[in-house]
Amino acid sequence: MGRSPGVAAALFYGAVAALVLLGVRDVLFVYEENRCSMTYMYEYPEYLKIKLPKKISRRFPAYELYLYGEGNYAEENKNLILTGIPVLFLPGNAGSYKQVRSLGSIALRKAEDIDFKYHFNFFTVNFNEELVALYGGSLHRQTRFVHECIKVILKLYKDQEFAPSSVAIVGHSMGGLVARALLTLKNFKPEFINLLITQATPHVAPVMPLDKYLTDFYTAVNNHWILKAQDVRNLTTLSVAGGFRDYQVHSGLAFLPRLSQHSSALFVVSSAVPRTWASTDHLSIVWCKELVLATIRAFFDVIDETTKQITEDPKKRMLVLNHHFVRHPAKFFEEGPETLTELKGTLIWIKIKSSKWTYTVYNESDGKYFMFPLSNHRKTYSHVHCQNSMLGTSSWIYGCLNSSSSVCLEGFDLSWKAELLPTVKVVTLKLQEYPALSNLVIYVPAINGNKFTLDCEFFKEDSRTVQLPVTHLFSFGLSSSKIVFSSAGLIYNVQLQHFCQIYQAFKIYIESHCNPHKGRKTSVYRLHVPWSHEDSITVSKVPSFTEISAKLHIAQPENDSTVVVLNIYSSVDCQYEVTIKTSFSQVLGQVIRFHGGSLPVYVISNMLLAYGGQLSALISTGQCSDFVLALARAAKPYKVDPIVNVVKFLLGFNWFKDIWNVLFLPELDAVLLNKQDMWDPLVSLILFLFGTGIAYWGGILFSSSLRLFSSLWLSLTRPSGLPKDSKLMTPRRAFMAILLIFVSCTTCGAFAVLIIYIHYMFKVIKLHSNVRTEQNVLNMAPKHAKETSDNSNKETVKNCDSTETITEAAAASPTANRAIDNVVNSLKIHITIINLLTWIVLLSSPSLIYWFKNLRYNIRLDPDPCRTMAIILVSTLGILMNSSTTKVKSSKLSKIAAQLPLPLSAAVVAFGPMHLYRAPYFVICSLLLHMFCCIV
């Protein structure tokens, strides 16, 4: 009976851990297969190092600038007499400057195809593969270096007839943020950049806000782009996100919400990019051939034929980006296409009066026109839909204003209204919007050996559009919504009602039933999200049973009333059954995807509650419980979440906000998340439980590891006995603390934290091994006493181990038991402190890795986000690691120390999710008071 609470806790937290693992599995492993093709170089890639002025080289010794080339092109450019268009590639977090080769190689091949009428010079920056996503101290340095590189690049073209005055920039990951940060520099001229393409760049916020320099950098960049919009008015920006395959930077972070109000910015997910239609992971977005081709085509289309440089017209640049990245009509880009076209009256003209029409073309010797009179159809139908399986770029559909009974001499080219899909190009026209058109004309060219199919049908919108309410978030996939299309048609639109939140996730099952037909076409299913360009497309053979995952990257804006739509482009003789169910595993995956980075905050919050529970039990009962048991008792979400929610509610009132500002308190992270449509009280509760589960099993893992290391220690050394109460600070300990403070000031603060952590861990292992030895001796004492009584007339045999002899002699005394109890209590507190310190070390490790990687350039990390924390922590732990619970129990501050972790656990949840670097300071506050309890 005594073990049942522990078993129940283990089962509960085991279930919680299973849910966490299920969500992590969905993020890391459950996504579409890689549909990108690899980009290959036709010649050996070469990187020509650009010699920088000595002043710049001294200021930035770790950075370099290169020019990309291949074969003869690389040889010709060794003298740096350049005549092309400059493009600068900026790698991201731990990225290599050699990643430019995919863009540079394909751009070179395309320039060769047009005999170098236009060509691009691709430059790339070597940032020494710095971890700028985890350490923000070098972001300003990178930005200043890029500014210098741009000035150097433009000087290379000064003797050119039409010398460029700006460069285009392609930034991968954090490289895109560095490019945006250029505009924050005082001496930077905004006209230096005319086109910026970012790939998988987290624009909204850092993925892991691990230091203040990183969050301050984001704040400065985003505020500048919002408050000084005039600087970006002539800059065309395209942000491409990778979709669900990119688990490092979720696509919601790549969105530029405020910039969407301006016509100069565009956001798109790679799965929605025409002729790409594939999600990319964080690295493949750089080399995905389909996406690189779209980028290079866009580059060549924004060239001004007069200057042979990128056009200075921002409207044309945006038209080109929309053409290649949003809606492709299966035609080459034209800035002002001629819509009125002369039709050939000498060809065969065939009039079609039926509402449905299919024509299969094979070895057509003569071209034909099929003419659909619209007058009769307008009375019955509201729309006309046509699709063409020939994916060439020629015009194929026209609208006539006036026509004779048999031919139409002039027509408006409606091919620009079409949209390219993986297997067909489609056009849907609302007849009411074209009242002047008398006929619809389909052109079939003369072909030899190619086979394709054209389909057209007139329909009422109501007959092809249905509303399907999605299932509730907590239906766990047990219920479903279903719709059946009984009539056959070319297009269906399923409006998914109430699908608007990022935490919703569904599985859509589409079953197609088709009449037997030779040469069956495929069906195309598109999940269209109207408030952001994040569509996903699935191609399926029919008849078939297809499963589609439906989830969002960006929540529906408040003032948006549009609906997510499932478009079905089908064969004319197919019927469809659509079923939607909630996918619980994908719901968990969405929680982890959007909030997994803040889980350390919730783990630390739970540990602080356990820490406070241990101190409270120590004061009230004199006994301290194990960390895991204290966690199960004290870590309750109702102690934390209601406080955060109440404060968030009160901040909605001006009087409370004024008080908040007077106290100089930072903005609540829940408020910031709410602005990004990422805050929900229920999600906070789930994250708290996830944090509890991680802390629980982390505690068990640490306890097991501690027993293993203490056993190893006992096998190597002889136990030294229990520690006696001694001075908290000795000259040797003071020297050690001063030395570590010196290390943190002259090298890296995280390095000093790691050293004190290892030292503390060593002392805990040693203490644990001694306690185990003494407890084993005490357990053997009654048996030894009985044996001594039975053999009282025999000579006492002395134990060769003096420590064991002394311990056995004292074992019968209550003093020995009390001494061991005090040491055990101290050990339990030390284990909890070590658990807390483990997360501090983990959160500070990125700056340690950065410092170690750059040791050859500078022994001192500057700026150092952990220096202040390290100085405080070294001083505090120097006393705590030698303390015992006897002094804490008798301290005047003990009650305050026991109560403080509760508000601190709430504070870390309130201020830590978007500022992870704050979490260690809340732990330090609690440890500081504990230290004072040992002194006062």
Side-chain angles (χ1 to χ4, degrees):
M1 293 296 290
R3 292 186 178 182
S4 57
V7 173
L11 290 174
F12 176 75
Y13 293 121
V16 171
L19 294 179
V20 175
L21 293 175
L22 191 61
V24 171
R25 173 186 173 273
D26 180 77
V27 173
L28 298 183
F29 303 107
V30 183
Y31 42 69
E32 67 178 64
E33 62 180 7
N34 182 23
R35 298 206 295 259
C36 283
S37 303
M38 177 64 77
T39 306
Y40 294 99
M41 283 77 251
Y42 290 92
E43 297 176 279
Y44 188 77
E46 296 184 36
Y47 304 89
L48 177 63
K49 186 176 180 180
I50 306 297
K51 188 176 180 180
L52 300 173
K54 292 183 179 179
K55 183 180 178 181
I56 298 175
S57 298
R58 284 196 300 266
R59 286 176 59 194
F60 309 100
Y63 302 156
E64 297 168 323
L65 176 64
Y66 290 87
L67 173 65
Y68 178 80
E70 296 177 16
N72 293 332
Y73 171 78
E75 287 293 327
E76 293 171 0
N77 288 331
K78 282 188 176 179
N79 56 6
L80 292 180
I81 300 176
L82 305 177
T83 58
I85 303 168
V87 179
L88 180 60
F89 176 79
L90 304 180
N93 178 60
S96 170
Y97 65 96
K98 295 182 179 180
Q99 290 174 310
V100 73
R101 60 183 177 268
S102 296
L103 287 166
S105 181
I106 289 184
L108 181 59
R109 300 283 86 77
K110 188 167 178 63
E112 290 175 347
D113 291 342
I114 58 174
D115 295 325
F116 283 92
K117 180 181 179 181
Y118 317 113
H119 71 279
F120 290 87
N121 303 126
F122 274 84
F123 297 85
T124 179
V125 173
N126 178 15
F127 284 136
N128 194 31
E129 300 184 8
E130 292 180 333
L131 299 172
V132 287
L134 304 177
Y135 169 74
S138 62
L139 284 168
H140 280 290
R141 186 161 52 247
Q142 288 191 0
T143 305
R144 293 194 300 270
F145 180 73
V146 172
H147 183 202
E148 298 297 335
C149 287
I150 291 174
K151 291 189 286 186
V152 170
I153 290 170
L154 292 178
K155 284 181 181 179
L156 297 175
Y157 296 85
K158 61 182 179 180
D159 297 328
Q160 190 173 324
E161 181 182 358
F162 293 102
S165 59
S166 60
V167 300
I169 295 181
V170 178
H172 172 239
S173 187
M174 295 298 288
L177 187 70
V178 169
R180 289 180 60 213
L182 287 168
L183 296 170
T184 65
L185 299 178
K186 291 182 179 180
N187 299 324
F188 184 80
K189 298 177 181 179
E191 56 268 23
F192 276 176
I193 314 175
N194 51 19
L195 178 62
L196 171 61
I197 297 178
T198 66
Q199 302 171 325
T201 297
H203 291 294
V204 178
V207 178
M208 295 288 286
L210 292 170
D211 66 63
K212 191 175 187 296
Y213 306 112
L214 189 59
T215 55
D216 287 350
F217 188 83
Y218 266 89
T219 301
V221 172
N222 288 329
N223 286 345
H224 184 92
W225 278 57
I226 294 170
L227 300 176
K228 296 186 178 181
Q230 67 274 8
D231 290 350
V232 300
R233 187 180 296 113
N234 294 320
L235 171 60
T236 304
T237 307
L238 169 67
S239 176
V240 184
F244 290 110
R245 280 187 63 87
D246 189 350
Y247 54 80
Q248 295 184 45
V249 177
H250 69 79
S251 298
L253 289 177
F255 186 50
L256 295 170
R258 293 297 187 95
L259 293 182
S260 62
Q261 300 171 2
H262 307 286
S263 59
S264 61
L266 182 65
F267 163 78
V268 64
V269 179
S270 61
S271 60
V273 175
R275 296 201 277 188
T276 301
W277 297 304
S279 177
T280 61
D281 60 52
H282 197 63
L283 292 179
S284 68
I285 196 171
V286 177
W287 55 256
C288 177
K289 184 177 180 180
E290 291 77 8
L291 191 58
V292 172
L293 283 170
T295 305
I296 297 302
R297 292 185 189 115
F299 269 128
F300 276 88
D301 281 342
V302 295
I303 296 176
D304 187 324
E305 292 187 3
T306 304
T307 63
K308 295 186 178 181
Q309 295 293 328
I310 291 178
T311 179
E312 295 182 0
D313 183 4
K315 291 184 179 179
K316 179 182 177 180
R317 295 196 297 259
M318 187 52 67
L319 285 173
V320 170
L321 293 181
N322 274 286
H323 179 89
H324 290 284
F325 288 90
V326 179
R327 185 185 178 93
H328 198 295
K331 291 179 68 67
F332 292 121
F333 174 78
E334 294 181 29
E335 187 175 359
E338 292 289 337
T339 56
L340 193 60
T341 306
E342 182 180 347
L343 303 180
K344 300 176 182 179
T346 56
L347 298 181
I348 300 174
W349 286 79
I350 303 173
K351 184 175 289 188
I352 306 296
K353 295 184 178 180
S354 63
S355 60
K356 290 185 179 182
W357 171 78
T358 298
Y359 186 74
T360 301
V361 183
Y362 184 70
N363 285 337
E364 195 78 24
S365 58
D366 298 313
K368 295 179 182 179
Y369 285 108
F370 293 90
M371 187 166 60
F372 299 80
L374 299 179
S375 56
N376 293 332
H377 292 308
R378 290 183 188 277
K379 300 175 183 178
T380 311
Y381 305 106
S382 63
H383 288 71
V384 59
H385 174 83
C386 294
Q387 57 189 38
N388 186 350
S389 64
M390 186 177 71
L391 304 181
T393 58
S394 59
S395 296
W396 61 284
I397 183 168
Y398 303 90
C400 290
L401 290 176
N402 298 302
S403 65
S404 64
S405 58
S406 58
V407 297
C408 176
L409 300 179
E410 283 188 331
F412 285 101
D413 190 353
L414 298 176
S415 304
W416 292 99
K417 302 291 183 181
E419 184 174 10
L420 180 65
L421 295 174
T423 58
V424 292
K425 47 187 178 182
V426 300
V427 60
T428 303
L429 304 174
K430 189 175 183 180
L431 298 178
Q432 188 179 355
E433 294 178 355
Y434 301 90
L437 297 184
S438 60
N439 291 271
L440 188 71
V441 177
I442 302 294
Y443 171 57
V444 178
I447 60 170
N448 184 20
N450 293 327
K451 183 177 181 180
F452 64 95
T453 303
L454 293 125
D455 298 281
C456 284
E457 71 167 339
F458 292 85
F459 64 90
K460 284 186 177 180
E461 184 179 20
D462 295 343
S463 65
R464 299 299 172 83
T465 302
V466 295
Q467 296 180 349
L468 183 64
V470 298
T471 49
H472 194 270
L473 188 66
F474 292 105
S475 62
F476 302 106
L478 300 177
S479 61
S480 62
S481 295
K482 182 185 294 186
I483 189 73
V484 178
F485 294 98
S486 56
S487 61
L490 294 175
I491 183 172
Y492 302 97
N493 300 311
V494 182
Q495 296 180 348
L496 303 179
Q497 299 290 319
H498 316 299
F499 184 19
C500 55
Q501 297 298 324
I502 56 175
Y503 306 113
Q504 294 175 291
F506 306 96
K507 287 184 178 178
I508 300 177
Y509 303 98
I510 305 175
E511 187 172 1
S512 56
H513 304 278
C514 305
N515 296 325
H517 186 275
K518 190 175 181 180
R520 175 74 55 210
K521 295 190 297 183
T522 56
S523 289
V524 178
Y525 310 129
R526 178 172 68 176
L527 191 67
H528 175 58
V529 182
W531 55 81
S532 63
H533 302 296
E534 56 175 281
D535 296 4
S536 59
I537 292 180
T538 304
V539 179
S540 177
K541 294 181 179 180
V542 291
S544 64
F545 183 82
T546 306
E547 179 183 316
I548 300 174
S549 293
K551 44 196 175 185
L552 299 175
H553 297 289
I554 298 168
Q556 185 179 28
E558 289 184 5
N559 300 324
D560 196 305
S561 59
T562 55
V563 182
V564 177
V565 179
L566 174 65
N567 303 126
I568 301 177
Y569 301 96
S570 70
S571 299
V572 71
D573 54 352
C574 290
Q575 298 177 348
Y576 293 85
E577 180 179 297
V578 180
T579 306
I580 186 168
K581 293 182 178 181
T582 297
S583 174
F584 183 64
S585 63
Q586 293 188 50
V587 170
L588 294 174
Q590 289 292 84
V591 173
I592 296 296
R593 177 175 286 107
F594 286 92
H595 297 285
S598 62
L599 274 177
V601 165
Y602 289 89
V603 175
I604 290 173
S605 176
N606 278 277
M607 287 183 170
L608 284 172
L609 289 175
Y611 183 42
Q614 283 181 310
L615 293 177
S616 297
L618 181 66
I619 296 168
S620 59
T621 65
Q623 297 294 321
C624 182
S625 56
D626 290 328
F627 169 74
V628 172
L629 185 58
L631 182 74
R633 290 174 177 172
K636 307 299 180 185
Y638 60 79
K639 295 181 179 180
V640 174
D641 276 342
I643 299 174
V644 178
N645 292 325
V646 168
V647 173
K648 179 180 177 294
F649 172 76
L650 291 176
L651 283 171
F653 298 97
N654 291 330
W655 62 268
F656 190 80
K657 190 179 294 184
D658 292 338
I659 297 173
W660 190 269
N661 294 331
V662 168
L663 296 174
F664 296 102
L665 293 172
E667 191 169 12
L668 205 68
D669 279 11
V671 175
L672 296 173
L673 288 168
N674 192 55
K675 291 178 181 178
Q676 299 176 18
D677 296 321
M678 289 175 56
W679 170 256
D680 190 289
L682 183 58
V683 173
S684 181
L685 173 62
I686 293 172
L687 291 173
F688 187 92
L689 292 176
F690 284 179
T692 312
I694 294 171
Y696 182 88
W697 291 106
I700 290 178
L701 178 62
F702 180 81
S703 297
S704 302
S705 302
L706 186 60
R707 291 186 65 86
L708 178 64
F709 284 121
S710 65
S711 298
L712 182 62
W713 178 258
L714 285 172
S715 65
L716 297 175
T717 63
R718 181 176 296 180
S720 57
L722 296 178
K724 298 179 181 179
D725 289 338
S726 60
K727 294 181 180 180
L728 293 174
M729 186 61 66
T730 62
R732 182 181 176 184
R733 294 167 183 170
F735 173 77
M736 181 68 178
I738 293 171
L739 179 63
L740 288 178
I741 291 173
F742 177 78
V743 168
S744 64
C745 292
T746 56
T747 58
C748 173
F751 183 48
V753 171
L754 179 62
I755 293 174
I756 194 73
Y757 173 77
I758 294 173
H759 182 47
Y760 201 161
M761 178 72 78
F762 174 77
K763 290 184 74 71
V764 170
I765 292 173
K766 185 178 178 181
L767 179 62
H768 188 271
S769 61
N770 290 334
V771 168
R772 284 179 63 184
T773 302
E774 294 298 326
Q775 286 179 333
N776 289 336
V777 171
L778 279 178
N779 292 334
M780 293 173 62
K783 182 179 179 181
H784 176 75
K786 183 178 180 181
E787 290 176 355
T788 303
S789 177
D790 294 339
N791 301 284
S792 57
N793 295 328
K794 297 182 180 180
E795 183 180 355
T796 303
V797 179
K798 293 184 179 180
N799 195 319
C800 61
D801 190 338
S802 59
T803 303
E804 185 177 341
T805 305
I806 295 172
T807 305
E808 289 183 10
S813 172
T815 306
N817 289 319
R818 285 196 299 270
I820 290 182
D821 287 343
N822 288 332
V823 174
V824 169
N825 288 333
S826 299
L827 176 62
K828 291 175 180 178
I829 291 292
H830 288 313
I831 289 174
T832 301
I833 294 175
I834 283 288
N835 274 287
L836 287 166
L837 285 178
T838 301
W839 284 95
I840 293 179
V841 170
L842 289 175
L843 292 176
S844 61
S845 60
S847 62
L848 175 65
I849 297 170
Y850 180 91
W851 167 77
F852 184 76
K853 194 170 179 290
N854 290 272
L855 263 178
R856 57 176 172 166
Y857 301 108
N858 201 336
I859 196 172
R860 186 175 188 267
L861 181 62
D862 187 34
D864 187 350
C866 300
R867 183 165 293 129
T868 303
M869 178 187 72
I871 293 172
I872 300 172
L873 205 55
V874 165
S875 305
T876 304
L877 295 180
I879 295 176
L880 280 182
M881 71 172 63
N882 300 298
S883 65
S884 65
T885 54
T886 53
K887 294 182 179 180
V888 175
K889 288 188 288 186
S890 59
S891 173
K892 298 177 182 178
L893 301 175
S894 58
K895 291 185 178 180
I896 301 176
Q899 297 300 323
L900 184 62
L902 175 58
L904 288 177
S905 64
V908 73
V909 170
F911 300 108
M914 296 190 69
H915 303 83
L916 289 179
Y917 63 89
R918 292 174 179 170
Y921 290 96
F922 293 106
V923 176
I924 290 173
C925 287
S926 190
L927 296 180
L928 271 173
L929 191 55
H930 187 167
M931 180 198 70
F932 286 127
C933 287
C934 299
I935 299 173
V936 180

